[in-house]
Amino acid sequence: QKEVEQDPGPLSVPEGAIVSLNCTYSNSAFQYFMWYRQYSRKGPELLMYTYSSGNKEDGRFTAQVDKSSKYISLFIRDSQPSDSATYLCAMRMTGANSKLTFGKGITLSVRP
Amino acid sequence: DSGVTQTPKHLITATGQRVTLRCSPRSGDLSVYWYQQSLDQGLQFLIQYYNGEERAKGNILERFSAQQFPDLHSELNLSSLELGDSALYFCASSVGTGDGNTIYFGEGSWLTVV
């Protein structure tokens, strides 16, 4: 079993839809949870950063972490064609080892 | 633009050859990471350096090596290349190594082994 599992997709939604992206993980030591967005052939860019359980909102994006279920989600409201990209969840433990463990990513396409 | 600079952007080389990928971290960042991204494996952590010293090692093959220089730039050396080494190689950097550090990625070096 991989440490981080992410629905492989791809996912296609109409413009304006609410998108829900999810990851599950097996390592209970993970404390920091991130979502990165990656456009085709570009580097991943940090979208959301959450510590431990709870919700975090930034504009149209909401990140949720449920540590009891080892489950994280990213919600995108009022999705736009410019949101079309690959979304990767990532997580790491506390301490000096800042290694990120990534999900494989899901490709989202928002249709105009 | 993340501020992390990688060269070359694209590279085509033959099996058995050796290549060097170069990375300049963001100004002020002491920590450098290397990741490999392939279609089947996703983003895999290779190695991390902090202020010139190796800090963590991931799934890095023995044919691969890296170093971080006194000016904080880093190089990833890939030798005896195989077809399966074809991938996008990312460098990332952060200020430190501890909790709360945000890791920023470069645009990647696309390696094709033929």
PDB file of all heavy atoms in Angstrom, chain A residues 23-60:
ATOM      1  N   CYS A  23      -7.519  12.778  -1.040  1.00  0.00           N
ATOM      2  CA  CYS A  23      -6.384  11.877  -0.839  1.00  0.00           C
ATOM      3  C   CYS A  23      -6.572  11.146   0.482  1.00  0.00           C
ATOM      4  O   CYS A  23      -7.097  11.716   1.432  1.00  0.00           O
ATOM      5  CB  CYS A  23      -5.062  12.656  -0.788  1.00  0.00           C
ATOM      6  SG  CYS A  23      -4.488  13.254  -2.375  1.00  0.00           S
ATOM      7  N   THR A  24      -6.090   9.915   0.513  1.00  0.00           N
ATOM      8  CA  THR A  24      -6.020   9.185   1.769  1.00  0.00           C
ATOM      9  C   THR A  24      -4.568   8.829   2.030  1.00  0.00           C
ATOM     10  O   THR A  24      -3.745   8.780   1.094  1.00  0.00           O
ATOM     11  CB  THR A  24      -6.856   7.888   1.724  1.00  0.00           C
ATOM     12  OG1 THR A  24      -6.388   7.073   0.641  1.00  0.00           O
ATOM     13  CG2 THR A  24      -8.325   8.193   1.525  1.00  0.00           C
ATOM     14  N   TYR A  25      -4.242   8.613   3.279  1.00  0.00           N
ATOM     15  CA  TYR A  25      -2.862   8.286   3.611  1.00  0.00           C
ATOM     16  C   TYR A  25      -2.832   7.249   4.720  1.00  0.00           C
ATOM     17  O   TYR A  25      -3.814   7.041   5.426  1.00  0.00           O
ATOM     18  CB  TYR A  25      -2.081   9.546   3.994  1.00  0.00           C
ATOM     19  CG  TYR A  25      -2.600  10.266   5.213  1.00  0.00           C
ATOM     20  CD1 TYR A  25      -2.060  10.034   6.481  1.00  0.00           C
ATOM     21  CD2 TYR A  25      -3.630  11.208   5.107  1.00  0.00           C
ATOM     22  CE1 TYR A  25      -2.520  10.704   7.590  1.00  0.00           C
ATOM     23  CE2 TYR A  25      -4.098  11.878   6.219  1.00  0.00           C
ATOM     24  CZ  TYR A  25      -3.545  11.631   7.458  1.00  0.00           C
ATOM     25  OH  TYR A  25      -4.007  12.314   8.559  1.00  0.00           O
ATOM     26  N   SER A  26      -1.693   6.607   4.868  1.00  0.00           N
ATOM     27  CA  SER A  26      -1.599   5.524   5.845  1.00  0.00           C
ATOM     28  C   SER A  26      -0.697   5.867   7.031  1.00  0.00           C
ATOM     29  O   SER A  26      -0.823   5.256   8.085  1.00  0.00           O
ATOM     30  CB  SER A  26      -1.076   4.254   5.163  1.00  0.00           C
ATOM     31  OG  SER A  26       0.186   4.490   4.555  1.00  0.00           O
ATOM     32  N   ASN A  27       0.173   6.846   6.869  1.00  0.00           N
ATOM     33  CA  ASN A  27       1.142   7.173   7.912  1.00  0.00           C
ATOM     34  C   ASN A  27       0.560   8.201   8.872  1.00  0.00           C
ATOM     35  O   ASN A  27       0.430   9.379   8.530  1.00  0.00           O
ATOM     36  CB  ASN A  27       2.423   7.701   7.261  1.00  0.00           C
ATOM     37  CG  ASN A  27       3.560   7.867   8.260  1.00  0.00           C
ATOM     38  OD1 ASN A  27       3.340   7.890   9.468  1.00  0.00           O
ATOM     39  ND2 ASN A  27       4.764   7.985   7.757  1.00  0.00           N
ATOM     40  N   SER A  28       0.243   7.778  10.076  1.00  0.00           N
ATOM     41  CA  SER A  28      -0.387   8.692  11.029  1.00  0.00           C
ATOM     42  C   SER A  28       0.580   9.767  11.530  1.00  0.00           C
ATOM     43  O   SER A  28       0.176  10.695  12.227  1.00  0.00           O
ATOM     44  CB  SER A  28      -0.942   7.899  12.219  1.00  0.00           C
ATOM     45  OG  SER A  28       0.095   7.156  12.833  1.00  0.00           O
ATOM     46  N   ALA A  29       1.850   9.655  11.198  1.00  0.00           N
ATOM     47  CA  ALA A  29       2.831  10.662  11.621  1.00  0.00           C
ATOM     48  C   ALA A  29       2.777  11.922  10.761  1.00  0.00           C
ATOM     49  O   ALA A  29       3.376  12.937  11.114  1.00  0.00           O
ATOM     50  CB  ALA A  29       4.231  10.071  11.583  1.00  0.00           C
ATOM     51  N   PHE A  30       2.092  11.873   9.639  1.00  0.00           N
ATOM     52  CA  PHE A  30       1.980  13.078   8.807  1.00  0.00           C
ATOM     53  C   PHE A  30       1.220  14.159   9.567  1.00  0.00           C
ATOM     54  O   PHE A  30       0.169  13.908  10.138  1.00  0.00           O
ATOM     55  CB  PHE A  30       1.256  12.773   7.496  1.00  0.00           C
ATOM     56  CG  PHE A  30       2.071  11.982   6.508  1.00  0.00           C
ATOM     57  CD1 PHE A  30       1.504  10.938   5.801  1.00  0.00           C
ATOM     58  CD2 PHE A  30       3.407  12.292   6.273  1.00  0.00           C
ATOM     59  CE1 PHE A  30       2.239  10.208   4.884  1.00  0.00           C
ATOM     60  CE2 PHE A  30       4.154  11.567   5.362  1.00  0.00           C
ATOM     61  CZ  PHE A  30       3.577  10.519   4.671  1.00  0.00           C
ATOM     62  N   GLN A  31       1.782  15.364   9.578  1.00  0.00           N
ATOM     63  CA  GLN A  31       1.165  16.463  10.309  1.00  0.00           C
ATOM     64  C   GLN A  31       0.895  17.674   9.422  1.00  0.00           C
ATOM     65  O   GLN A  31       0.074  18.510   9.758  1.00  0.00           O
ATOM     66  CB  GLN A  31       2.083  16.897  11.461  1.00  0.00           C
ATOM     67  CG  GLN A  31       2.267  15.845  12.540  1.00  0.00           C
ATOM     68  CD  GLN A  31       1.037  15.704  13.420  1.00  0.00           C
ATOM     69  OE1 GLN A  31       0.141  16.552  13.406  1.00  0.00           O
ATOM     70  NE2 GLN A  31       0.974  14.632  14.178  1.00  0.00           N
ATOM     71  N   TYR A  32       1.645  17.792   8.334  1.00  0.00           N
ATOM     72  CA  TYR A  32       1.496  18.932   7.441  1.00  0.00           C
ATOM     73  C   TYR A  32       0.949  18.429   6.118  1.00  0.00           C
ATOM     74  O   TYR A  32       1.456  17.453   5.553  1.00  0.00           O
ATOM     75  CB  TYR A  32       2.847  19.624   7.221  1.00  0.00           C
ATOM     76  CG  TYR A  32       3.372  20.293   8.471  1.00  0.00           C
ATOM     77  CD1 TYR A  32       4.186  19.595   9.349  1.00  0.00           C
ATOM     78  CD2 TYR A  32       3.026  21.605   8.764  1.00  0.00           C
ATOM     79  CE1 TYR A  32       4.650  20.205  10.498  1.00  0.00           C
ATOM     80  CE2 TYR A  32       3.495  22.216   9.914  1.00  0.00           C
ATOM     81  CZ  TYR A  32       4.305  21.511  10.776  1.00  0.00           C
ATOM     82  OH  TYR A  32       4.763  22.107  11.918  1.00  0.00           O
ATOM     83  N   PHE A  33      -0.062  19.131   5.624  1.00  0.00           N
ATOM     84  CA  PHE A  33      -0.772  18.679   4.442  1.00  0.00           C
ATOM     85  C   PHE A  33      -0.863  19.820   3.436  1.00  0.00           C
ATOM     86  O   PHE A  33      -1.209  20.947   3.785  1.00  0.00           O
ATOM     87  CB  PHE A  33      -2.175  18.190   4.822  1.00  0.00           C
ATOM     88  CG  PHE A  33      -2.134  17.114   5.865  1.00  0.00           C
ATOM     89  CD1 PHE A  33      -2.202  17.444   7.211  1.00  0.00           C
ATOM     90  CD2 PHE A  33      -2.010  15.785   5.498  1.00  0.00           C
ATOM     91  CE1 PHE A  33      -2.137  16.450   8.189  1.00  0.00           C
ATOM     92  CE2 PHE A  33      -1.956  14.788   6.468  1.00  0.00           C
ATOM     93  CZ  PHE A  33      -2.016  15.122   7.808  1.00  0.00           C
ATOM     94  N   MET A  34      -0.537  19.524   2.219  1.00  0.00           N
ATOM     95  CA  MET A  34      -0.465  20.544   1.184  1.00  0.00           C
ATOM     96  C   MET A  34      -1.174  20.093  -0.082  1.00  0.00           C
ATOM     97  O   MET A  34      -1.316  18.889  -0.336  1.00  0.00           O
ATOM     98  CB  MET A  34       1.003  20.823   0.829  1.00  0.00           C
ATOM     99  CG  MET A  34       1.735  21.641   1.860  1.00  0.00           C
ATOM    100  SD  MET A  34       3.401  20.982   2.163  1.00  0.00           S
ATOM    101  CE  MET A  34       3.059  19.711   3.362  1.00  0.00           C
ATOM    102  N   TRP A  35      -1.607  21.046  -0.834  1.00  0.00           N
ATOM    103  CA  TRP A  35      -2.081  20.814  -2.195  1.00  0.00           C
ATOM    104  C   TRP A  35      -1.234  21.664  -3.131  1.00  0.00           C
ATOM    105  O   TRP A  35      -1.049  22.868  -2.902  1.00  0.00           O
ATOM    106  CB  TRP A  35      -3.554  21.187  -2.337  1.00  0.00           C
ATOM    107  CG  TRP A  35      -4.458  20.189  -1.684  1.00  0.00           C
ATOM    108  CD1 TRP A  35      -4.962  20.234  -0.420  1.00  0.00           C
ATOM    109  CD2 TRP A  35      -4.961  18.980  -2.267  1.00  0.00           C
ATOM    110  NE1 TRP A  35      -5.738  19.131  -0.178  1.00  0.00           N
ATOM    111  CE2 TRP A  35      -5.758  18.350  -1.295  1.00  0.00           C
ATOM    112  CE3 TRP A  35      -4.820  18.377  -3.522  1.00  0.00           C
ATOM    113  CZ2 TRP A  35      -6.418  17.135  -1.531  1.00  0.00           C
ATOM    114  CZ3 TRP A  35      -5.471  17.181  -3.764  1.00  0.00           C
ATOM    115  CH2 TRP A  35      -6.263  16.565  -2.777  1.00  0.00           C
ATOM    116  N   TYR A  36      -0.717  21.006  -4.143  1.00  0.00           N
ATOM    117  CA  TYR A  36       0.032  21.692  -5.191  1.00  0.00           C
ATOM    118  C   TYR A  36      -0.753  21.613  -6.497  1.00  0.00           C
ATOM    119  O   TYR A  36      -1.437  20.624  -6.772  1.00  0.00           O
ATOM    120  CB  TYR A  36       1.404  21.039  -5.406  1.00  0.00           C
ATOM    121  CG  TYR A  36       2.445  21.414  -4.385  1.00  0.00           C
ATOM    122  CD1 TYR A  36       2.492  20.792  -3.135  1.00  0.00           C
ATOM    123  CD2 TYR A  36       3.403  22.388  -4.672  1.00  0.00           C
ATOM    124  CE1 TYR A  36       3.459  21.134  -2.202  1.00  0.00           C
ATOM    125  CE2 TYR A  36       4.373  22.741  -3.744  1.00  0.00           C
ATOM    126  CZ  TYR A  36       4.398  22.101  -2.518  1.00  0.00           C
ATOM    127  OH  TYR A  36       5.358  22.447  -1.594  1.00  0.00           O
ATOM    128  N   ARG A  37      -0.620  22.646  -7.290  1.00  0.00           N
ATOM    129  CA  ARG A  37      -1.209  22.676  -8.618  1.00  0.00           C
ATOM    130  C   ARG A  37      -0.070  22.669  -9.619  1.00  0.00           C
ATOM    131  O   ARG A  37       0.911  23.401  -9.471  1.00  0.00           O
ATOM    132  CB  ARG A  37      -2.064  23.941  -8.794  1.00  0.00           C
ATOM    133  CG  ARG A  37      -2.689  24.110 -10.163  1.00  0.00           C
ATOM    134  CD  ARG A  37      -3.613  25.317 -10.174  1.00  0.00           C
ATOM    135  NE  ARG A  37      -2.906  26.550  -9.891  1.00  0.00           N
ATOM    136  CZ  ARG A  37      -3.516  27.695  -9.566  1.00  0.00           C
ATOM    137  NH1 ARG A  37      -4.839  27.755  -9.469  1.00  0.00           N
ATOM    138  NH2 ARG A  37      -2.802  28.763  -9.328  1.00  0.00           N
ATOM    139  N   GLN A  38      -0.215  21.845 -10.641  1.00  0.00           N
ATOM    140  CA  GLN A  38       0.832  21.738 -11.646  1.00  0.00           C
ATOM    141  C   GLN A  38       0.223  21.861 -13.034  1.00  0.00           C
ATOM    142  O   GLN A  38      -0.562  21.005 -13.450  1.00  0.00           O
ATOM    143  CB  GLN A  38       1.581  20.409 -11.518  1.00  0.00           C
ATOM    144  CG  GLN A  38       2.754  20.266 -12.457  1.00  0.00           C
ATOM    145  CD  GLN A  38       3.524  18.970 -12.266  1.00  0.00           C
ATOM    146  OE1 GLN A  38       3.015  18.003 -11.694  1.00  0.00           O
ATOM    147  NE2 GLN A  38       4.764  18.938 -12.728  1.00  0.00           N
ATOM    148  N   TYR A  39       0.594  22.912 -13.732  1.00  0.00           N
ATOM    149  CA  TYR A  39       0.190  23.052 -15.119  1.00  0.00           C
ATOM    150  C   TYR A  39       1.128  22.208 -15.977  1.00  0.00           C
ATOM    151  O   TYR A  39       2.248  21.890 -15.572  1.00  0.00           O
ATOM    152  CB  TYR A  39       0.209  24.521 -15.552  1.00  0.00           C
ATOM    153  CG  TYR A  39      -0.849  25.356 -14.889  1.00  0.00           C
ATOM    154  CD1 TYR A  39      -0.529  26.330 -13.951  1.00  0.00           C
ATOM    155  CD2 TYR A  39      -2.202  25.177 -15.187  1.00  0.00           C
ATOM    156  CE1 TYR A  39      -1.498  27.094 -13.331  1.00  0.00           C
ATOM    157  CE2 TYR A  39      -3.182  25.936 -14.574  1.00  0.00           C
ATOM    158  CZ  TYR A  39      -2.822  26.886 -13.641  1.00  0.00           C
ATOM    159  OH  TYR A  39      -3.794  27.644 -13.035  1.00  0.00           O
ATOM    160  N   SER A  40       0.654  21.885 -17.165  1.00  0.00           N
ATOM    161  CA  SER A  40       1.384  20.967 -18.026  1.00  0.00           C
ATOM    162  C   SER A  40       2.835  21.381 -18.220  1.00  0.00           C
ATOM    163  O   SER A  40       3.122  22.525 -18.595  1.00  0.00           O
ATOM    164  CB  SER A  40       0.685  20.882 -19.386  1.00  0.00           C
ATOM    165  OG  SER A  40       1.343  19.971 -20.221  1.00  0.00           O
ATOM    166  N   ARG A  41       3.744  20.487 -17.899  1.00  0.00           N
ATOM    167  CA  ARG A  41       5.183  20.671 -18.098  1.00  0.00           C
ATOM    168  C   ARG A  41       5.738  21.848 -17.307  1.00  0.00           C
ATOM    169  O   ARG A  41       6.731  22.457 -17.705  1.00  0.00           O
ATOM    170  CB  ARG A  41       5.514  20.804 -19.574  1.00  0.00           C
ATOM    171  CG  ARG A  41       5.131  19.568 -20.357  1.00  0.00           C
ATOM    172  CD  ARG A  41       6.014  19.382 -21.530  1.00  0.00           C
ATOM    173  NE  ARG A  41       5.736  18.129 -22.207  1.00  0.00           N
ATOM    174  CZ  ARG A  41       6.597  17.517 -22.993  1.00  0.00           C
ATOM    175  NH1 ARG A  41       7.782  18.035 -23.194  1.00  0.00           N
ATOM    176  NH2 ARG A  41       6.278  16.396 -23.583  1.00  0.00           N
ATOM    177  N   LYS A  42       5.069  22.175 -16.196  1.00  0.00           N
ATOM    178  CA  LYS A  42       5.572  23.222 -15.315  1.00  0.00           C
ATOM    179  C   LYS A  42       5.838  22.628 -13.947  1.00  0.00           C
ATOM    180  O   LYS A  42       5.468  21.500 -13.654  1.00  0.00           O
ATOM    181  CB  LYS A  42       4.525  24.345 -15.175  1.00  0.00           C
ATOM    182  CG  LYS A  42       4.229  25.074 -16.471  1.00  0.00           C
ATOM    183  CD  LYS A  42       5.384  25.955 -16.861  1.00  0.00           C
ATOM    184  CE  LYS A  42       5.016  26.835 -18.035  1.00  0.00           C
ATOM    185  NZ  LYS A  42       6.149  27.687 -18.450  1.00  0.00           N
ATOM    186  N   GLY A  43       6.496  23.398 -13.090  1.00  0.00           N
ATOM    187  CA  GLY A  43       6.737  22.930 -11.742  1.00  0.00           C
ATOM    188  C   GLY A  43       5.500  23.039 -10.871  1.00  0.00           C
ATOM    189  O   GLY A  43       4.650  23.903 -11.089  1.00  0.00           O
ATOM    190  N   PRO A  44       5.355  22.166  -9.872  1.00  0.00           N
ATOM    191  CA  PRO A  44       4.229  22.277  -8.943  1.00  0.00           C
ATOM    192  C   PRO A  44       4.293  23.590  -8.169  1.00  0.00           C
ATOM    193  O   PRO A  44       5.372  24.021  -7.750  1.00  0.00           O
ATOM    194  CB  PRO A  44       4.439  21.082  -8.000  1.00  0.00           C
ATOM    195  CG  PRO A  44       5.367  20.159  -8.715  1.00  0.00           C
ATOM    196  CD  PRO A  44       6.240  21.024  -9.550  1.00  0.00           C
ATOM    197  N   GLU A  45       3.148  24.230  -7.987  1.00  0.00           N
ATOM    198  CA  GLU A  45       3.087  25.449  -7.194  1.00  0.00           C
ATOM    199  C   GLU A  45       2.161  25.216  -6.004  1.00  0.00           C
ATOM    200  O   GLU A  45       1.107  24.599  -6.130  1.00  0.00           O
ATOM    201  CB  GLU A  45       2.610  26.639  -8.030  1.00  0.00           C
ATOM    202  CG  GLU A  45       1.265  26.452  -8.680  1.00  0.00           C
ATOM    203  CD  GLU A  45       0.777  27.704  -9.380  1.00  0.00           C
ATOM    204  OE1 GLU A  45       1.008  28.819  -8.851  1.00  0.00           O
ATOM    205  OE2 GLU A  45       0.146  27.568 -10.441  1.00  0.00           O
ATOM    206  N   LEU A  46       2.585  25.708  -4.848  1.00  0.00           N
ATOM    207  CA  LEU A  46       1.834  25.492  -3.629  1.00  0.00           C
ATOM    208  C   LEU A  46       0.525  26.274  -3.671  1.00  0.00           C
ATOM    209  O   LEU A  46       0.497  27.468  -3.930  1.00  0.00           O
ATOM    210  CB  LEU A  46       2.666  25.943  -2.427  1.00  0.00           C
ATOM    211  CG  LEU A  46       2.037  25.713  -1.059  1.00  0.00           C
ATOM    212  CD1 LEU A  46       1.855  24.221  -0.795  1.00  0.00           C
ATOM    213  CD2 LEU A  46       2.892  26.358   0.022  1.00  0.00           C
ATOM    214  N   LEU A  47      -0.549  25.543  -3.385  1.00  0.00           N
ATOM    215  CA  LEU A  47      -1.889  26.138  -3.404  1.00  0.00           C
ATOM    216  C   LEU A  47      -2.424  26.331  -1.988  1.00  0.00           C
ATOM    217  O   LEU A  47      -2.901  27.391  -1.635  1.00  0.00           O
ATOM    218  CB  LEU A  47      -2.808  25.201  -4.197  1.00  0.00           C
ATOM    219  CG  LEU A  47      -4.047  25.719  -4.881  1.00  0.00           C
ATOM    220  CD1 LEU A  47      -3.705  26.873  -5.805  1.00  0.00           C
ATOM    221  CD2 LEU A  47      -4.701  24.592  -5.682  1.00  0.00           C
ATOM    222  N   MET A  48      -2.340  25.291  -1.193  1.00  0.00           N
ATOM    223  CA  MET A  48      -2.873  25.327   0.162  1.00  0.00           C
ATOM    224  C   MET A  48      -1.929  24.581   1.096  1.00  0.00           C
ATOM    225  O   MET A  48      -1.323  23.583   0.708  1.00  0.00           O
ATOM    226  CB  MET A  48      -4.261  24.679   0.228  1.00  0.00           C
ATOM    227  CG  MET A  48      -5.307  25.348  -0.623  1.00  0.00           C
ATOM    228  SD  MET A  48      -5.812  26.951   0.031  1.00  0.00           S
ATOM    229  CE  MET A  48      -6.906  26.436   1.366  1.00  0.00           C
ATOM    230  N   TYR A  49      -1.862  25.062   2.341  1.00  0.00           N
ATOM    231  CA  TYR A  49      -0.949  24.487   3.339  1.00  0.00           C
ATOM    232  C   TYR A  49      -1.708  24.420   4.656  1.00  0.00           C
ATOM    233  O   TYR A  49      -2.187  25.429   5.152  1.00  0.00           O
ATOM    234  CB  TYR A  49       0.273  25.384   3.454  1.00  0.00           C
ATOM    235  CG  TYR A  49       1.412  24.850   4.285  1.00  0.00           C
ATOM    236  CD1 TYR A  49       2.606  24.496   3.680  1.00  0.00           C
ATOM    237  CD2 TYR A  49       1.316  24.727   5.670  1.00  0.00           C
ATOM    238  CE1 TYR A  49       3.677  24.023   4.415  1.00  0.00           C
ATOM    239  CE2 TYR A  49       2.370  24.257   6.414  1.00  0.00           C
ATOM    240  CZ  TYR A  49       3.557  23.910   5.788  1.00  0.00           C
ATOM    241  OH  TYR A  49       4.611  23.434   6.519  1.00  0.00           O
ATOM    242  N   THR A  50      -1.832  23.221   5.218  1.00  0.00           N
ATOM    243  CA  THR A  50      -2.613  23.044   6.445  1.00  0.00           C
ATOM    244  C   THR A  50      -1.815  22.239   7.440  1.00  0.00           C
ATOM    245  O   THR A  50      -1.143  21.275   7.079  1.00  0.00           O
ATOM    246  CB  THR A  50      -3.927  22.288   6.139  1.00  0.00           C
ATOM    247  OG1 THR A  50      -4.565  22.885   5.025  1.00  0.00           O
ATOM    248  CG2 THR A  50      -4.873  22.333   7.335  1.00  0.00           C
ATOM    249  N   TYR A  51      -1.921  22.648   8.697  1.00  0.00           N
ATOM    250  CA  TYR A  51      -1.274  21.882   9.756  1.00  0.00           C
ATOM    251  C   TYR A  51      -2.344  21.134  10.547  1.00  0.00           C
ATOM    252  O   TYR A  51      -3.338  21.711  10.949  1.00  0.00           O
ATOM    253  CB  TYR A  51      -0.485  22.792  10.692  1.00  0.00           C
ATOM    254  CG  TYR A  51       0.013  22.084  11.942  1.00  0.00           C
ATOM    255  CD1 TYR A  51       1.029  21.133  11.842  1.00  0.00           C
ATOM    256  CD2 TYR A  51      -0.540  22.351  13.198  1.00  0.00           C
ATOM    257  CE1 TYR A  51       1.482  20.464  12.957  1.00  0.00           C
ATOM    258  CE2 TYR A  51      -0.085  21.692  14.314  1.00  0.00           C
ATOM    259  CZ  TYR A  51       0.919  20.753  14.202  1.00  0.00           C
ATOM    260  OH  TYR A  51       1.377  20.085  15.317  1.00  0.00           O
ATOM    261  N   SER A  52      -2.155  19.842  10.699  1.00  0.00           N
ATOM    262  CA  SER A  52      -3.035  18.981  11.485  1.00  0.00           C
ATOM    263  C   SER A  52      -4.469  19.010  10.943  1.00  0.00           C
ATOM    264  O   SER A  52      -4.702  19.317   9.792  1.00  0.00           O
ATOM    265  CB  SER A  52      -2.970  19.379  12.964  1.00  0.00           C
ATOM    266  OG  SER A  52      -3.514  18.358  13.763  1.00  0.00           O
ATOM    267  N   SER A  53      -5.429  18.716  11.768  1.00  0.00           N
ATOM    268  CA  SER A  53      -6.815  18.624  11.303  1.00  0.00           C
ATOM    269  C   SER A  53      -7.470  19.989  11.233  1.00  0.00           C
ATOM    270  O   SER A  53      -7.046  20.932  11.880  1.00  0.00           O
ATOM    271  CB  SER A  53      -7.624  17.737  12.261  1.00  0.00           C
ATOM    272  OG  SER A  53      -7.342  16.380  12.072  1.00  0.00           O
ATOM    273  N   GLY A  54      -8.506  20.079  10.398  1.00  0.00           N
ATOM    274  CA  GLY A  54      -9.259  21.320  10.309  1.00  0.00           C
ATOM    275  C   GLY A  54      -9.442  21.772   8.884  1.00  0.00           C
ATOM    276  O   GLY A  54      -9.101  21.067   7.940  1.00  0.00           O
ATOM    277  N   ASN A  55     -10.014  22.954   8.748  1.00  0.00           N
ATOM    278  CA  ASN A  55     -10.290  23.542   7.447  1.00  0.00           C
ATOM    279  C   ASN A  55      -9.485  24.806   7.252  1.00  0.00           C
ATOM    280  O   ASN A  55      -9.156  25.499   8.212  1.00  0.00           O
ATOM    281  CB  ASN A  55     -11.780  23.908   7.320  1.00  0.00           C
ATOM    282  CG  ASN A  55     -12.675  22.699   7.359  1.00  0.00           C
ATOM    283  OD1 ASN A  55     -12.202  21.575   7.397  1.00  0.00           O
ATOM    284  ND2 ASN A  55     -13.963  22.934   7.363  1.00  0.00           N
ATOM    285  N   LYS A  56      -9.180  25.085   5.996  1.00  0.00           N
ATOM    286  CA  LYS A  56      -8.533  26.349   5.659  1.00  0.00           C
ATOM    287  C   LYS A  56      -9.116  26.832   4.344  1.00  0.00           C
ATOM    288  O   LYS A  56      -9.242  26.048   3.395  1.00  0.00           O
ATOM    289  CB  LYS A  56      -7.020  26.152   5.530  1.00  0.00           C
ATOM    290  CG  LYS A  56      -6.264  27.449   5.300  1.00  0.00           C
ATOM    291  CD  LYS A  56      -4.777  27.185   5.356  1.00  0.00           C
ATOM    292  CE  LYS A  56      -3.992  28.467   5.228  1.00  0.00           C
ATOM    293  NZ  LYS A  56      -2.540  28.223   5.321  1.00  0.00           N
ATOM    294  N   GLU A  57      -9.474  28.085   4.318  1.00  0.00           N
ATOM    295  CA  GLU A  57     -10.107  28.642   3.124  1.00  0.00           C
ATOM    296  C   GLU A  57      -9.230  29.749   2.545  1.00  0.00           C
ATOM    297  O   GLU A  57      -8.659  30.556   3.288  1.00  0.00           O
ATOM    298  CB  GLU A  57     -11.481  29.190   3.483  1.00  0.00           C
ATOM    299  CG  GLU A  57     -12.316  29.599   2.279  1.00  0.00           C
ATOM    300  CD  GLU A  57     -13.738  29.962   2.691  1.00  0.00           C
ATOM    301  OE1 GLU A  57     -14.306  29.274   3.570  1.00  0.00           O
ATOM    302  OE2 GLU A  57     -14.270  30.939   2.143  1.00  0.00           O
ATOM    303  N   ASP A  58      -9.146  29.769   1.213  1.00  0.00           N
ATOM    304  CA  ASP A  58      -8.414  30.837   0.535  1.00  0.00           C
ATOM    305  C   ASP A  58      -9.126  31.108  -0.776  1.00  0.00           C
ATOM    306  O   ASP A  58      -8.954  30.363  -1.752  1.00  0.00           O
ATOM    307  CB  ASP A  58      -6.960  30.418   0.283  1.00  0.00           C
ATOM    308  CG  ASP A  58      -6.131  31.532  -0.328  1.00  0.00           C
ATOM    309  OD1 ASP A  58      -6.662  32.643  -0.548  1.00  0.00           O
ATOM    310  OD2 ASP A  58      -4.938  31.298  -0.588  1.00  0.00           O
ATOM    311  N   GLY A  59      -9.947  32.137  -0.775  1.00  0.00           N
ATOM    312  CA  GLY A  59     -10.701  32.467  -1.986  1.00  0.00           C
ATOM    313  C   GLY A  59     -11.665  31.347  -2.349  1.00  0.00           C
ATOM    314  O   GLY A  59     -12.488  30.930  -1.535  1.00  0.00           O
ATOM    315  N   ARG A  60     -11.534  30.826  -3.549  1.00  0.00           N
ATOM    316  CA  ARG A  60     -12.428  29.762  -4.005  1.00  0.00           C
ATOM    317  C   ARG A  60     -11.976  28.373  -3.543  1.00  0.00           C
ATOM    318  O   ARG A  60     -12.639  27.383  -3.829  1.00  0.00           O
ATOM    319  CB  ARG A  60     -12.497  29.780  -5.536  1.00  0.00           C
ATOM    320  CG  ARG A  60     -13.099  31.055  -6.122  1.00  0.00           C
ATOM    321  CD  ARG A  60     -13.223  30.985  -7.645  1.00  0.00           C
ATOM    322  NE  ARG A  60     -11.937  30.921  -8.316  1.00  0.00           N
ATOM    323  CZ  ARG A  60     -11.474  29.844  -8.951  1.00  0.00           C
ATOM    324  NH1 ARG A  60     -12.182  28.709  -8.987  1.00  0.00           N
ATOM    325  NH2 ARG A  60     -10.296  29.867  -9.556  1.00  0.00           N
TER     326      ARG A  60
END
